[in-house]
């Protein structure tokens, strides 16, 4: 049987890197990063794991960069069977001070970028009558964190989009799900957690922040055949922060 191709956006660090590391050599892995050094570090990681794969540059905030990636993959006949939309950013500010570029940037990278990637890759999945789309959301989508109106709106949009897609694509054997992490120890949460670790932990029933691999394992499960009958769901992985 031929290897399934997995595309993971934002595979250079944090949760995306852990997702990449959760796959073995039964898969062909493609990871993206925003800079040459990120792309290089992903490739080194793939090589050190002795798995087949490749890495490419992608800026989801730039439509030309998305087009470049999709045509490059097309020219190399790399067609993702499993698309993991993980890359993300925050541009936190209370609404009174939120600048238009902070709003636009977050909506572009998360919602518009994912729309464009999904749209270009589902054609082949539909043709193959098999596919998996796993979108990384956030507890912010349901909790509505202060200072994160842009991010919460983008993530809630991703969850809603995923449910519509699950209905549209189910008959083609394409499953679409979200994983919504709580507070996970990555670069994204470094600033928020610095000096606040005890307070944050006190808000979480399991009493600690999560680790990237604790998200990756759920994503990997959703990509596996064990999850064949799961679609249109958002799986919350947050130590009980939201229930
Ligand atoms: P992270 O450590 O900050 O890593 C972000 C990743 O996204 C990096 O690989 C980065 O690439 C890439 N990226 C950044 N801007 C991009 C852009 N414009 N276009 C394409 N790729 C871009 O973040 P993380 O904590 O692992 O977060 C991963 C996902 O989980 C995000 O969707 C985030 O919203 C979600 N999430 C995280 C948490 C948390 O607590 N950490 C909680 C809920 C949800 P470079 O290395 O090249 O910059």
């Amino acid at each position: 049987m031929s290897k399934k191709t997995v595309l993971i956006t934002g595979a250079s660090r944090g949760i995306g890197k852990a997702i990449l590391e959760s796959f073995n050599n039964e898969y062909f892995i493609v990871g993206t990063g925003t800079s040459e050094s990120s792309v290089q570090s992903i490739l080194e990681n793939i090589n050190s794991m002795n798995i087949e794969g490749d890495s490419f540059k992608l800026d989801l905030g730039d439509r030309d960069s998305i087009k470049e990636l999709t045509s490059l993959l097309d020219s190399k006949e790399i067609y993702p069977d499993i698309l993991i939309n993980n890359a993300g950013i925050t541009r936190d500010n209370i609404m009174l001070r939120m600048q238009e570029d902070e709003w636009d940037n977050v909506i572009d990278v998360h919602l518009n970028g994912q729309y464009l990637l999904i749209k270009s890759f589902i054609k082949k999945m539909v043709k193959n009558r098999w596919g998996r789309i796993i979108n990384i959301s956030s507890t912010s989508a349901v909790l509505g964190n202060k200072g994160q109106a842009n991010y919460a709106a983008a993530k809630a949009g991703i969850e809603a989009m995923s449910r519509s897609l699950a209905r549209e694509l189910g008959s083609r054997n394409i499953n679409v799900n979200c994983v919504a992490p709580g507070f996970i120890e990555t670069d994204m949460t470094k600033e928020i957690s610095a000096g606040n670790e005890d307070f944050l932990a006190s808000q979480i029933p399991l009493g600690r922040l999560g680790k990237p691999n604790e998200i990756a394992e759920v994503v990997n499960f959703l990509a596996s055949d064990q999850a064949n009958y799961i679609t249109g769901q958002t799986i919350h992985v947050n130590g009980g922060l939201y229930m």
Side-chain angles (χ1 to χ4, degrees):
M1 217 177 68
S2 65
K3 291 187 178 194
K4 290 220 163 19
T5 297
V6 187
L7 174 72
I8 306 158
T9 64
S12 51
R13 296 184 277 134
I15 293 170
K17 182 168 185 260
I19 294 172
L20 186 149
E21 289 168 354
S22 76
F23 285 97
N24 59 25
N25 63 6
E26 287 170 24
Y27 297 86
F28 182 88
I29 309 293
V30 179
T32 77
T34 60
S35 64
E36 289 305 335
S37 63
S38 298
V39 170
Q40 187 55 32
S41 76
I42 297 167
L43 198 58
E44 282 165 14
N45 202 13
I46 289 174
N47 291 338
S48 74
M49 289 169 64
N50 266 329
I51 53 174
E52 278 187 82
D54 213 339
S55 62
F56 299 96
K57 208 166 158 182
L58 170 70
D59 176 358
L60 284 162
D62 173 359
R63 290 187 178 214
D64 289 338
S65 165
I66 299 173
K67 277 188 206 139
E68 272 164 35
L69 174 75
T70 53
S71 24
L72 185 60
L73 292 179
D74 209 31
S75 70
K76 290 176 177 281
E77 298 190 353
I78 296 175
Y79 304 110
D81 303 292
I82 299 167
L83 170 62
I84 301 173
N85 282 307
N86 162 77
I89 55 164
T90 49
R91 295 280 182 272
D92 294 356
N93 219 337
I94 55 166
M95 189 59 101
L96 274 173
R97 290 199 207 114
M98 187 173 289
Q99 303 299 311
E100 285 185 22
D101 68 307
E102 291 169 331
W103 177 269
D104 289 343
N105 212 207
V106 168
I107 300 294
D108 276 344
V109 168
H110 292 269
L111 198 50
N112 296 332
Q114 288 196 18
Y115 150 72
L116 291 167
L117 274 192
I118 290 169
K119 194 168 155 59
S120 70
F121 294 136
I122 53 173
K123 283 178 200 141
K124 197 75 178 178
M125 292 183 192
V126 167
K127 198 165 164 238
N128 292 342
R129 302 213 160 227
W130 200 95
R132 290 286 159 82
I133 300 170
I134 302 160
N135 298 323
I136 307 302
S137 177
S138 166
T139 41
S140 286
V142 285
L143 287 176
N145 294 346
K146 275 187 203 166
Q148 288 201 318
N150 50 359
Y151 183 77
K155 293 299 197 185
I158 284 167
E159 291 185 11
M161 173 179 70
S162 303
R163 285 187 288 271
S164 287
L165 283 176
R167 289 187 193 279
E168 288 180 18
L169 299 169
S171 65
R172 303 297 191 276
N173 209 15
I174 300 169
N175 300 21
V176 187
N177 291 292
C178 293
V179 174
F183 274 112
I184 309 301
E185 286 171 5
T186 68
D187 292 345
M188 185 175 272
T189 49
K190 242 183 209 159
E191 251 177 62
I192 311 171
S193 36
N196 286 322
E197 290 85 356
D198 290 346
F199 172 74
L200 287 176
S202 74
Q203 307 299 301
I204 302 168
L206 288 182
R208 64 174 177 86
L209 273 67
K211 309 256 181 237
N213 71 296
E214 291 172 312
I215 304 302
E217 277 151 25
V218 178
V219 172
N220 189 289
F221 164 71
L222 287 172
S224 76
D225 285 345
Q226 275 72 51
N228 278 345
Y229 201 53
I230 302 176
T231 197
Q233 305 304 308
T234 296
I235 315 284
H236 292 272
V237 188
N238 55 42
L241 176 68
Y242 168 78
M243 60 176 88

